Amino acid sequence: MREIKVSAQDRPVKAPPKVRKKKAAGSKKQRKQTVSSPRFFSVFHSVGRFFAGLRNLSVSLLSMGRKTPKQGRKGKRRGAPNGLRKYGVPALLLLTVMLPIGGLGYYIVQNSVIERTTAWISETTNALVTSSGLTVQEVTVAGRERTSTRDMMKALGVARGDNILTFNPEEARRRVESLGWVEHASVMRRFPDEVFIRVTERRPFARWQSNNKTVVIDRKGAVVSTRDSKEFRYLPKVVGKEANMDAAALFDVLAGSPELFTRLQNAVRIRGRRWNLEFDNGVSVFLPEEHAAQAWQRLARMHDEEAILNKAVLSIDMRSAQKMYVRLKSDDADFRRVAANAGKET
């Protein structure tokens, strides 16, 4: 078959476009065209862009301080510094909170609000307490003999008319027990207006001389009076560093021979190890470091048999368990030496 060829002149010609007739306004098809017009879409597009901008702004605020992947040098945009992105919002919030607090604190300090409030509360409380009769009107002390009234009231720290509710019995008890003569004390409030104190005083036991100062001590070695008055001169005296702590043990031993004990004038502590006893006639007895009680009993027997302390003796050294060394006065020693030599010649 012969091939069919189409020449340029045989190409189909396009039909002219049909012209649509305008329909009357108000028809359904025209209303649809009006709704879908480009101007109406532009309004929606503007509103959408506005809300999209708000969303992007919130996301950017929340993501401040987060590290984002680096962009190329060509498309990189310079933003805020890393420190500002990381600490800007927290610092702003902290500043917003602290400014009112700082202003309030400045106002309180400048106007002495706390002091004035405290003073007002105190005055109001005192007025209420006074009107109700809860003030100290009487102080009763039981068991006091040697403690002075002035020292007792100073230690209590209370005066007539004080608020009894603010009085602290425990603190007052500690202050009272710090007084020299007071060994134990109890302090209590008796409502509505009385403070009651019961004390147990120490008993004077000996006099203690240390650093050229003599004080009065009790059996436990506690200082009860810093004045060496005449009324305590009958007490035996211990001398030396820390001699007050060992006086009771020594005197318990010496009390076994009351006759000699009453003649004791001083008991000198030697290096914290032993005692030298000084009697009223000037005789000194050196007790040993160990077995002092046995040495004291031996001395008592010798005095009962020979009245050794009444003789011309300067000192008796009893530090040896087997022997006793007696030192005589110089005149008596010379007399005995002459008598002994005369006996040898005859």
Side-chain angles (χ1 to χ4, degrees):
M1 294 179 61
R2 187 172 56 90
E3 185 180 358
I4 298 175
K5 294 182 180 181
V6 179
S7 62
Q9 287 81 9
D10 297 331
R11 292 178 180 176
V13 180
K14 292 183 180 180
K18 295 181 180 180
V19 180
R20 296 182 179 180
K21 295 182 180 181
K22 292 184 179 181
K23 293 185 178 181
S27 67
K28 189 174 182 180
K29 204 168 188 178
Q30 188 178 4
R31 285 200 300 271
K32 287 183 179 181
Q33 290 179 356
T34 305
V35 172
S36 59
S37 63
R39 185 176 299 177
F40 186 78
F41 276 111
S42 64
V43 175
F44 272 101
H45 182 67
S46 301
V47 174
R49 289 182 62 186
F50 173 75
F51 282 105
L54 288 180
R55 183 178 63 83
N56 294 334
L57 178 61
S58 62
V59 170
S60 62
L61 289 176
L62 290 175
S63 61
M64 286 180 69
R66 297 179 182 176
K67 293 183 178 180
T68 56
K70 295 183 178 181
Q71 298 178 357
R73 290 184 174 274
K74 294 182 179 180
K76 186 175 180 180
R77 293 174 55 189
R78 249 184 167 177
N82 291 335
L84 182 61
R85 291 199 303 269
K86 186 174 182 179
Y87 302 107
V89 174
L92 182 61
L93 294 176
L94 182 62
L95 185 63
T96 305
V97 174
M98 293 302 296
L99 278 178
I101 297 177
L104 180 61
Y106 178 79
Y107 174 81
I108 291 175
V109 171
Q110 286 296 109
N111 294 274
S112 302
V113 175
I114 297 176
E115 290 79 0
R116 288 190 294 176
T117 304
T118 305
W120 177 82
I121 293 174
S122 179
E123 293 175 0
T124 306
T125 304
N126 290 334
L128 292 174
V129 169
T130 303
S131 61
S132 60
L134 296 174
T135 56
V136 177
Q137 299 297 327
E138 186 176 356
V139 177
T140 305
V141 182
R144 182 186 66 85
E145 294 182 5
R146 299 182 182 275
T147 307
S148 66
T149 304
R150 179 181 178 181
D151 293 342
M152 180 64 69
M153 294 304 298
K154 185 177 179 180
L156 286 174
V158 68
R160 185 186 297 273
D162 289 349
N163 185 350
I164 197 172
L165 297 178
T166 59
F167 174 73
N168 192 325
E170 183 62 23
E171 292 182 359
R173 180 191 64 79
R174 287 195 291 267
R175 291 193 299 267
V176 171
E177 288 185 348
S178 66
L179 299 176
W181 286 107
V182 179
E183 185 174 8
H184 300 291
S186 60
V187 182
M188 64 188 72
R189 295 177 293 188
R190 289 181 174 177
F191 292 101
D193 58 1
E194 183 184 2
V195 175
F196 180 79
I197 305 98
R198 183 181 297 278
V199 297
T200 301
E201 292 187 336
R202 294 184 173 94
R203 298 181 60 183
F205 181 73
R207 295 155 62 218
W208 173 37
Q209 179 180 333
S210 180
N211 298 326
N212 297 324
K213 184 179 181 180
T214 303
V215 297
V216 181
I217 61 175
D218 68 348
R219 183 177 177 83
K220 297 180 180 179
V223 177
V224 297
S225 177
T226 57
R227 294 179 297 177
D228 186 23
S229 58
K230 293 182 178 180
E231 62 175 324
F232 302 117
R233 295 292 171 83
Y234 70 94
L235 295 172
K237 183 170 67 173
V238 293
V239 182
K241 183 179 179 181
E242 297 183 357
N244 58 321
M245 305 306 297
D246 301 321
L250 172 67
F251 292 164
D252 289 343
V253 171
L254 302 184
S257 300
E259 183 181 355
L260 294 181
F261 187 27
T262 55
R263 296 181 59 179
L264 180 66
Q265 188 173 13
N266 298 320
V268 183
R269 191 66 169 164
I270 306 299
R271 297 186 182 91
R273 298 166 54 188
R274 63 177 193 86
W275 295 94
N276 284 353
L277 306 181
E278 298 176 355
F279 292 89
D280 53 2
N281 60 349
V283 178
S284 297
V285 176
F286 305 152
L287 293 180
E289 182 178 351
E290 297 180 356
H291 309 294
Q294 289 82 346
W296 176 254
Q297 293 173 2
R298 186 162 43 134
L299 178 66
R301 286 194 301 268
M302 292 178 59
H303 183 72
D304 292 340
E305 296 172 359
E306 304 177 13
I308 188 173
L309 292 180
N310 297 333
K311 296 182 178 181
V313 177
L314 282 178
S315 62
I316 302 174
D317 191 346
M318 306 185 72
R319 289 177 288 181
S320 176
Q322 290 78 21
K323 296 181 181 181
M324 181 175 65
Y325 300 92
V326 179
R327 182 183 178 186
L328 301 176
K329 294 180 180 179
S330 58
D331 296 339
D332 192 69
D334 293 340
F335 176 78
R336 287 176 180 271
R337 188 178 302 107
V338 171
N341 293 333
K344 288 180 180 180
E345 293 176 357
T346 59

Coordinates of all heavy atoms in Angstrom, one line a residue, residues 266-346:
N266 N 50.2 22.0 158.2 CA 50.2 22.0 156.7 C 50.6 20.6 156.2 O 51.3 19.9 156.8 CB 51.3 23.0 156.2 CG 51.0 24.4 156.6 OD1 49.9 24.9 156.6 ND2 52.1 25.1 157.0
A267 N 50.0 20.3 155.0 CA 50.3 19.1 154.3 C 50.8 19.5 152.9 O 50.0 20.0 152.1 CB 49.1 18.1 154.2
V268 N 52.1 19.3 152.7 CA 52.7 19.8 151.4 C 52.8 18.7 150.4 O 53.4 17.6 150.8 CB 54.1 20.4 151.7 CG1 54.7 21.0 150.4 CG2 54.0 21.5 152.8
R269 N 52.2 18.9 149.3 CA 52.3 17.9 148.2 C 53.6 18.0 147.4 O 53.9 19.1 147.0 CB 51.1 18.1 147.2 CG 50.9 16.9 146.2 CD 50.5 15.7 146.9 NE 50.1 14.7 145.9 CZ 50.0 13.4 146.2 NH1 50.2 12.9 147.5 NH2 49.5 12.5 145.3
I270 N 54.3 16.9 147.3 CA 55.7 16.9 146.7 C 55.5 16.2 145.3 O 55.3 15.0 145.3 CB 56.7 16.2 147.6 CG1 56.7 16.8 149.0 CG2 58.1 16.3 146.9 CD1 57.1 18.2 149.0
R271 N 55.6 17.0 144.3 CA 55.6 16.5 142.9 C 54.4 15.7 142.6 O 54.5 14.8 141.7 CB 56.9 15.8 142.6 CG 58.2 16.6 142.7 CD 59.4 15.8 142.2 NE 60.6 16.6 142.4 CZ 61.4 16.5 143.5 NH1 61.0 15.8 144.5 NH2 62.5 17.3 143.5
G272 N 53.4 15.9 143.3 CA 52.1 15.1 143.0 C 52.3 13.6 143.3 O 51.5 12.8 142.9
R273 N 53.2 13.3 144.2 CA 53.5 11.8 144.5 C 53.3 11.5 146.0 O 52.8 10.4 146.3 CB 54.9 11.5 144.0 CG 55.1 11.6 142.5 CD 56.6 11.6 142.1 NE 57.2 10.4 142.6 CZ 58.5 10.1 142.5 NH1 59.3 11.0 142.0 NH2 59.0 9.0 143.0
R274 N 53.8 12.4 146.8 CA 53.8 12.1 148.3 C 53.6 13.3 149.1 O 53.5 14.4 148.5 CB 55.1 11.4 148.7 CG 56.3 12.2 148.6 CD 57.5 11.5 149.0 NE 58.7 12.5 149.2 CZ 58.9 13.2 150.3 NH1 58.0 13.2 151.3 NH2 59.9 14.1 150.3
W275 N 53.5 13.2 150.4 CA 53.2 14.3 151.3 C 54.3 14.5 152.3 O 54.9 13.5 152.8 CB 51.9 14.0 152.1 CG 50.7 14.0 151.2 CD1 50.1 12.9 150.7 CD2 49.9 15.1 150.8 NE1 49.0 13.2 149.9 CE2 48.8 14.6 150.0 CE3 50.0 16.5 151.0 CZ2 47.9 15.4 149.4 CZ3 49.0 17.3 150.4 CH2 48.0 16.8 149.6
N276 N 54.6 15.8 152.7 CA 55.3 16.2 153.9 C 54.4 16.8 154.9 O 53.7 17.8 154.5 CB 56.4 17.2 153.5 CG 57.6 16.5 152.9 OD1 57.7 15.3 152.8 ND2 58.6 17.3 152.4
L277 N 54.3 16.3 156.1 CA 53.4 16.8 157.1 C 54.1 17.8 158.0 O 55.2 17.4 158.6 CB 52.8 15.6 157.9 CG 52.1 14.5 157.1 CD1 51.6 13.5 158.0 CD2 51.0 15.1 156.2
E278 N 53.6 18.9 158.2 CA 54.2 19.9 159.1 C 53.2 20.2 160.3 O 52.1 20.5 160.1 CB 54.4 21.3 158.4 CG 55.4 21.1 157.2 CD 55.5 22.4 156.4 OE1 54.8 23.4 156.7 OE2 56.3 22.5 155.5
F279 N 53.8 19.9 161.5 CA 52.9 20.0 162.7 C 53.1 21.4 163.4 O 54.0 22.2 163.0 CB 53.3 18.9 163.7 CG 52.9 17.5 163.1 CD1 53.7 16.8 162.3 CD2 51.6 17.0 163.4 CE1 53.3 15.6 161.8 CE2 51.2 15.8 162.9 CZ 52.1 15.1 162.2
D280 N 52.3 21.6 164.4 CA 52.2 22.9 165.0 C 53.5 23.3 165.8 O 53.8 24.5 166.0 CB 51.0 23.0 165.9 CG 51.0 21.9 167.0 OD1 51.9 21.1 166.9 OD2 50.0 21.8 167.7
N281 N 54.3 22.3 166.2 CA 55.6 22.6 166.9 C 56.8 22.7 166.0 O 57.9 22.7 166.4 CB 55.8 21.6 168.0 CG 55.9 20.2 167.4 OD1 55.6 19.9 166.3 ND2 56.4 19.3 168.3
G282 N 56.6 22.6 164.6 CA 57.6 22.8 163.7 C 58.2 21.5 163.2 O 59.2 21.5 162.4
V283 N 57.8 20.3 163.7 CA 58.3 19.0 163.3 C 57.7 18.7 161.9 O 56.5 18.8 161.7 CB 58.0 18.0 164.3 CG1 58.5 16.6 163.9 CG2 58.6 18.3 165.7
S284 N 58.6 18.1 161.0 CA 58.1 17.7 159.7 C 58.3 16.2 159.6 O 59.3 15.6 160.1 CB 59.0 18.4 158.6 OG 58.8 19.8 158.6
V285 N 57.3 15.6 159.1 CA 57.3 14.1 158.9 C 57.2 13.8 157.4 O 56.2 14.3 156.7 CB 56.1 13.4 159.6 CG1 56.1 11.9 159.3 CG2 56.3 13.7 161.1
F286 N 58.1 13.1 156.8 CA 58.2 12.8 155.4 C 57.5 11.4 155.2 O 58.1 10.4 155.5 CB 59.6 12.7 154.9 CG 60.4 14.0 155.2 CD1 61.7 14.0 155.3 CD2 59.7 15.2 155.3 CE1 62.5 15.1 155.6 CE2 60.4 16.4 155.6 CZ 61.8 16.3 155.7
L287 N 56.3 11.4 154.6 CA 55.6 10.1 154.4 C 56.1 9.5 153.0 O 56.5 10.3 152.1 CB 54.1 10.4 154.3 CG 53.4 10.8 155.6 CD1 51.9 11.0 155.3 CD2 53.6 9.8 156.7
P288 N 56.1 8.2 152.9 CA 56.5 7.6 151.7 C 55.5 7.7 150.6 O 54.3 8.1 150.8 CB 56.7 6.1 152.1 CG 55.7 5.9 153.2 CD 55.7 7.2 154.0
E289 N 55.9 7.5 149.4 CA 55.0 7.5 148.2 C 53.9 6.4 148.3 O 52.8 6.6 147.9 CB 55.8 7.5 146.9 CG 54.9 7.6 145.7 CD 55.8 7.6 144.4 OE1 57.0 7.6 144.5 OE2 55.1 7.4 143.3
E290 N 54.4 5.2 148.7 CA 53.5 4.1 148.9 C 53.4 3.7 150.3 O 54.3 3.9 151.1 CB 54.0 2.9 148.0 CG 54.0 3.2 146.5 CD 54.5 2.0 145.7 OE1 55.0 1.0 146.3 OE2 54.5 2.1 144.5
H291 N 52.3 3.1 150.7 CA 52.0 2.6 152.1 C 52.1 3.7 153.1 O 52.7 3.6 154.1 CB 53.0 1.5 152.4 CG 53.1 0.4 151.4 ND1 52.0 -0.5 151.2 CD2 54.1 0.0 150.6 CE1 52.4 -1.3 150.3 NE2 53.6 -1.1 149.9
A292 N 51.6 4.9 152.7 CA 51.6 6.0 153.6 C 50.7 5.7 154.8 O 51.0 6.2 155.9 CB 51.0 7.2 152.9
A293 N 49.7 5.0 154.7 CA 48.8 4.7 155.9 C 49.6 3.9 156.9 O 49.5 4.1 158.1 CB 47.6 3.9 155.4
Q294 N 50.4 2.9 156.5 CA 51.2 2.1 157.5 C 52.2 3.0 158.2 O 52.5 2.8 159.4 CB 51.9 0.9 156.8 CG 50.9 -0.2 156.3 CD 50.2 0.1 155.0 OE1 50.2 1.3 154.5 NE2 49.6 -0.9 154.4
A295 N 52.8 3.9 157.4 CA 53.8 4.8 158.0 C 53.2 5.7 159.1 O 53.8 6.0 160.1 CB 54.5 5.6 156.9
W296 N 52.0 6.2 158.7 CA 51.3 7.0 159.7 C 50.9 6.3 161.0 O 51.0 6.8 162.1 CB 50.1 7.6 159.0 CG 49.2 8.4 159.9 CD1 48.0 8.1 160.4 CD2 49.5 9.7 160.4 NE1 47.5 9.1 161.2 CE2 48.4 10.1 161.2 CE3 50.5 10.6 160.2 CZ2 48.3 11.4 161.9 CZ3 50.5 11.9 160.9 CH2 49.4 12.2 161.7
Q297 N 50.5 5.0 160.9 CA 50.2 4.2 162.0 C 51.4 4.0 162.9 O 51.4 4.0 164.1 CB 49.5 2.9 161.6 CG 48.2 3.1 161.0 CD 47.6 1.8 160.4 OE1 48.3 0.7 160.5 NE2 46.5 1.8 159.8
R298 N 52.6 3.7 162.3 CA 53.8 3.5 163.0 C 54.2 4.8 163.8 O 54.7 4.7 164.9 CB 54.9 3.1 162.0 CG 56.2 2.7 162.7 CD 57.1 1.9 161.7 NE 57.1 2.5 160.4 CZ 58.2 2.7 159.7 NH1 59.4 2.3 160.2 NH2 58.2 3.1 158.5
L299 N 54.0 5.9 163.1 CA 54.3 7.2 163.8 C 53.4 7.4 165.0 O 53.8 7.9 166.0 CB 54.2 8.4 162.8 CG 54.4 9.7 163.4 CD1 55.9 9.9 163.8 CD2 54.1 10.8 162.3
A300 N 52.1 7.0 164.8 CA 51.2 7.2 165.9 C 51.6 6.3 167.1 O 51.5 6.7 168.3 CB 49.8 6.9 165.4
R301 N 52.0 5.1 166.9 CA 52.4 4.2 168.0 C 53.7 4.7 168.7 O 53.8 4.7 169.9 CB 52.7 2.8 167.4 CG 51.5 2.0 167.0 CD 51.8 0.5 166.8 NE 52.8 0.3 165.8 CZ 52.5 0.1 164.5 NH1 51.3 0.1 164.1 NH2 53.5 -0.1 163.6
M302 N 54.6 5.3 167.9 CA 55.8 5.8 168.5 C 55.5 7.0 169.4 O 56.1 7.2 170.5 CB 56.8 6.2 167.4 CG 57.4 5.1 166.7 SD 58.6 5.6 165.4 CE 59.8 6.5 166.4
H303 N 54.6 7.8 168.9 CA 54.2 9.0 169.7 C 53.5 8.6 171.0 O 53.7 9.2 172.1 CB 53.3 9.9 168.9 CG 53.0 11.2 169.6 ND1 53.9 12.2 169.9 CD2 51.8 11.6 170.2 CE1 53.3 13.2 170.5 NE2 52.0 12.8 170.7
D304 N 52.6 7.5 170.9 CA 51.9 7.1 172.1 C 52.9 6.5 173.1 O 52.7 6.7 174.4 CB 50.9 6.0 171.8 CG 49.7 6.6 171.0 OD1 49.5 7.8 171.1 OD2 49.0 5.8 170.3
E305 N 54.0 5.9 172.7 CA 54.9 5.2 173.6 C 56.0 6.2 174.0 O 56.4 6.1 175.2 CB 55.6 4.0 172.9 CG 54.6 2.9 172.5 CD 55.2 1.8 171.6 OE1 56.4 2.0 171.3 OE2 54.5 0.9 171.3
E306 N 56.5 7.0 173.2 CA 57.7 7.9 173.5 C 57.4 9.4 173.3 O 58.3 10.2 173.6 CB 58.9 7.5 172.7 CG 59.2 6.0 172.8 CD 60.4 5.6 171.9 OE1 61.1 6.6 171.4 OE2 60.7 4.4 171.7
A307 N 56.2 9.7 172.9 CA 55.9 11.1 172.6 C 57.0 11.8 171.8 O 57.6 12.8 172.1 CB 55.7 11.9 173.9
I308 N 57.3 11.1 170.7 CA 58.4 11.6 169.8 C 58.2 13.0 169.3 O 59.2 13.7 169.1 CB 58.6 10.5 168.7 CG1 59.9 10.8 168.0 CG2 57.4 10.5 167.7 CD1 60.3 9.8 167.0
L309 N 57.0 13.4 169.0 CA 56.8 14.7 168.4 C 57.0 15.8 169.5 O 57.2 17.0 169.1 CB 55.4 14.8 167.9 CG 55.0 14.0 166.6 CD1 53.6 14.2 166.2 CD2 56.0 14.3 165.5
N310 N 57.1 15.5 170.8 CA 57.3 16.5 171.8 C 58.8 16.6 172.1 O 59.1 17.5 173.0 CB 56.5 16.1 173.1 CG 55.0 16.1 172.8 OD1 54.5 16.8 171.9 ND2 54.3 15.3 173.6
K311 N 59.6 15.9 171.5 CA 61.1 15.9 171.8 C 61.7 16.9 170.8 O 61.1 17.5 169.9 CB 61.7 14.6 171.7 CG 61.2 13.6 172.8 CD 61.8 12.2 172.7 CE 61.3 11.3 173.8 NZ 62.0 10.0 173.7
A312 N 63.0 17.1 171.0 CA 63.8 18.1 170.2 C 64.1 17.5 168.9 O 65.2 17.2 168.6 CB 65.0 18.5 171.0
V313 N 63.0 17.4 168.1 CA 63.1 16.7 166.8 C 62.8 17.8 165.7 O 61.8 18.5 165.8 CB 62.2 15.5 166.7 CG1 62.3 14.9 165.3 CG2 62.6 14.5 167.7
L314 N 63.6 17.8 164.6 CA 63.3 18.7 163.5 C 62.5 17.9 162.4 O 61.5 18.5 161.9 CB 64.6 19.2 162.9 CG 65.4 20.3 163.6 CD1 66.7 20.6 162.9 CD2 64.5 21.5 163.7
S315 N 62.9 16.7 162.1 CA 62.2 16.0 161.1 C 62.3 14.5 161.3 O 63.3 14.0 161.9 CB 62.7 16.3 159.7 OG 64.1 16.0 159.6
I316 N 61.3 13.8 160.8 CA 61.3 12.3 160.8 C 61.0 11.8 159.4 O 60.0 12.1 158.8 CB 60.2 11.8 161.8 CG1 60.4 12.4 163.2 CG2 60.2 10.3 161.8 CD1 59.2 12.1 164.1
D317 N 62.0 11.1 158.9 CA 61.9 10.6 157.5 C 61.5 9.2 157.6 O 62.2 8.3 158.1 CB 63.3 10.7 156.9 CG 63.2 10.5 155.4 OD1 62.2 9.9 154.9 OD2 64.2 10.8 154.7
M318 N 60.3 8.9 157.1 CA 59.7 7.6 157.1 C 59.6 7.0 155.7 O 58.7 6.1 155.4 CB 58.3 7.6 157.8 CG 58.4 8.2 159.2 SD 56.8 8.1 160.0 CE 56.8 6.4 160.4
R319 N 60.3 7.5 154.8 CA 60.2 7.0 153.4 C 60.8 5.6 153.2 O 60.4 5.0 152.2 CB 60.9 8.0 152.4 CG 60.2 9.4 152.3 CD 61.0 10.3 151.5 NE 62.2 10.8 152.2 CZ 63.0 11.7 151.6 NH1 62.8 12.2 150.4 NH2 64.1 12.1 152.3
S320 N 61.6 5.2 154.1 CA 62.1 3.8 154.0 C 61.2 2.9 154.8 O 60.8 3.2 155.9 CB 63.5 3.8 154.5 OG 64.0 2.4 154.5
A321 N 60.9 1.7 154.3 CA 60.1 0.8 155.0 C 60.8 0.1 156.1 O 60.2 -0.4 157.1 CB 59.5 -0.3 154.0
Q322 N 62.2 0.0 156.1 CA 62.9 -0.8 157.1 C 63.4 0.2 158.2 O 63.6 -0.3 159.3 CB 64.1 -1.5 156.5 CG 63.7 -2.7 155.6 CD 63.2 -2.3 154.2 OE1 63.5 -1.2 153.8 NE2 62.5 -3.2 153.6
K323 N 63.8 1.4 157.8 CA 64.4 2.3 158.8 C 63.6 3.6 158.9 O 62.9 4.0 158.0 CB 65.9 2.6 158.4 CG 66.7 1.3 158.4 CD 68.1 1.7 158.0 CE 69.0 0.4 158.1 NZ 70.5 0.8 157.7
M324 N 63.9 4.3 160.0 CA 63.3 5.7 160.2 C 64.5 6.6 160.6 O 65.2 6.3 161.5 CB 62.2 5.6 161.2 CG 61.6 7.0 161.4 SD 60.2 6.9 162.6 CE 61.1 6.4 164.1
Y325 N 64.6 7.7 159.9 CA 65.7 8.6 160.2 C 65.1 9.9 160.9 O 64.2 10.5 160.4 CB 66.4 9.1 158.9 CG 67.0 7.9 158.1 CD1 66.2 7.2 157.1 CD2 68.3 7.5 158.4 CE1 66.8 6.2 156.5 CE2 68.8 6.4 157.7 CZ 68.1 5.8 156.7 OH 68.6 4.7 156.1
V326 N 65.7 10.2 162.1 CA 65.3 11.3 162.9 C 66.4 12.4 162.9 O 67.5 12.0 163.2 CB 64.9 10.9 164.3 CG1 64.5 12.1 165.1 CG2 63.9 9.8 164.3
R327 N 66.0 13.6 162.6 CA 66.9 14.7 162.7 C 66.6 15.5 163.9 O 65.5 16.0 164.0 CB 66.9 15.5 161.4 CG 67.9 16.7 161.3 CD 67.7 17.5 160.1 NE 68.6 18.6 160.1 CZ 68.6 19.5 159.1 NH1 67.7 19.5 158.1 NH2 69.4 20.5 159.2
L328 N 67.6 15.7 164.7 CA 67.4 16.5 166.0 C 67.7 17.9 165.8 O 68.4 18.3 164.8 CB 68.3 15.9 167.1 CG 68.0 14.4 167.4 CD1 69.0 14.0 168.5 CD2 66.6 14.2 167.9
K329 N 67.3 18.7 166.7 CA 67.7 20.1 166.7 C 69.2 20.3 167.0 O 69.8 19.4 167.6 CB 66.8 20.9 167.7 CG 65.4 21.0 167.3 CD 64.6 21.8 168.4 CE 63.1 21.8 168.0 NZ 62.3 22.6 169.0
S330 N 69.8 21.3 166.6 CA 71.2 21.5 166.7 C 71.7 21.4 168.2 O 72.7 20.7 168.5 CB 71.7 22.8 166.1 OG 71.0 23.9 166.8
D331 N 71.0 22.1 169.1 CA 71.5 22.1 170.5 C 71.4 20.7 171.1 O 72.3 20.2 171.8 CB 70.6 23.0 171.4 CG 70.8 24.5 170.9 OD1 71.9 24.7 170.3 OD2 70.0 25.3 171.2
D332 N 70.3 20.0 170.9 CA 70.1 18.7 171.4 C 71.0 17.7 170.8 O 71.5 16.7 171.4 CB 68.6 18.2 171.2 CG 68.3 17.0 172.0 OD1 68.2 17.0 173.2 OD2 68.1 15.9 171.3
A333 N 71.3 17.9 169.5 CA 72.3 17.0 168.8 C 73.6 17.1 169.4 O 74.4 16.1 169.7 CB 72.3 17.3 167.4
D334 N 74.1 18.3 169.7 CA 75.4 18.6 170.3 C 75.4 17.9 171.7 O 76.4 17.3 172.1 CB 75.7 20.0 170.4 CG 75.9 20.7 169.1 OD1 76.1 19.9 168.1 OD2 75.7 21.9 168.9
F335 N 74.4 18.1 172.5 CA 74.3 17.5 173.8 C 74.4 16.0 173.8 O 75.2 15.4 174.6 CB 73.0 17.9 174.6 CG 72.8 17.3 175.9 CD1 73.5 17.8 177.0 CD2 72.0 16.2 176.1 CE1 73.4 17.2 178.3 CE2 71.8 15.6 177.3 CZ 72.5 16.1 178.4
R336 N 73.7 15.4 172.9 CA 73.7 13.9 172.8 C 75.1 13.5 172.3 O 75.6 12.4 172.7 CB 72.6 13.4 171.8 CG 71.2 13.5 172.4 CD 70.2 13.1 171.4 NE 68.9 13.2 172.0 CZ 68.2 12.2 172.6 NH1 68.9 11.1 172.8 NH2 67.0 12.4 173.1
R337 N 75.7 14.3 171.4 CA 77.0 13.9 170.9 C 78.1 13.9 172.0 O 78.9 13.0 172.2 CB 77.4 14.8 169.7 CG 78.7 14.3 169.0 CD 79.0 15.3 167.8 NE 77.9 15.4 166.9 CZ 77.1 16.4 166.7 NH1 77.3 17.5 167.5 NH2 76.1 16.4 165.8
V338 N 78.0 15.0 172.9 CA 79.0 15.1 174.0 C 78.8 14.0 175.0 O 79.7 13.4 175.5 CB 78.8 16.5 174.6 CG1 79.6 16.6 175.9 CG2 79.3 17.6 173.7
A339 N 77.5 13.7 175.3 CA 77.2 12.6 176.2 C 77.7 11.3 175.7 O 78.2 10.5 176.4 CB 75.7 12.6 176.5
A340 N 77.5 11.1 174.4 CA 78.0 9.8 173.9 C 79.5 9.7 173.9 O 80.1 8.6 174.2 CB 77.5 9.7 172.4
N341 N 80.2 10.8 173.6 CA 81.7 10.8 173.7 C 82.2 10.6 175.1 O 83.2 9.8 175.3 CB 82.2 12.0 173.1 CG 82.0 12.2 171.6 OD1 81.8 11.1 170.9 ND2 81.9 13.4 171.1
A342 N 81.5 11.2 176.1 CA 81.9 11.0 177.5 C 81.7 9.6 177.9 O 82.5 9.0 178.7 CB 81.1 12.0 178.4
G343 N 80.6 9.0 177.5 CA 80.4 7.6 177.9 C 81.5 6.6 177.3 O 81.9 5.7 177.9
K344 N 82.0 7.0 176.2 CA 83.0 6.1 175.6 C 84.3 6.3 176.3 O 85.1 5.3 176.5 CB 83.2 6.5 174.1 CG 82.1 6.1 173.2 CD 82.3 6.5 171.8 CE 81.2 6.1 170.9 NZ 81.4 6.5 169.4
E345 N 84.6 7.5 176.8 CA 85.9 7.7 177.5 C 85.9 7.0 178.9 O 86.9 6.5 179.3 CB 86.1 9.2 177.7 CG 86.4 10.0 176.4 CD 86.5 11.5 176.7 OE1 86.4 11.9 177.8 OE2 86.8 12.2 175.7
T346 N 84.7 7.0 179.5 CA 84.7 6.3 180.8 C 84.7 4.8 180.6 O 85.1 4.1 181.4 CB 83.4 6.8 181.6 OG1 82.3 6.5 180.8 CG2 83.4 8.2 181.9

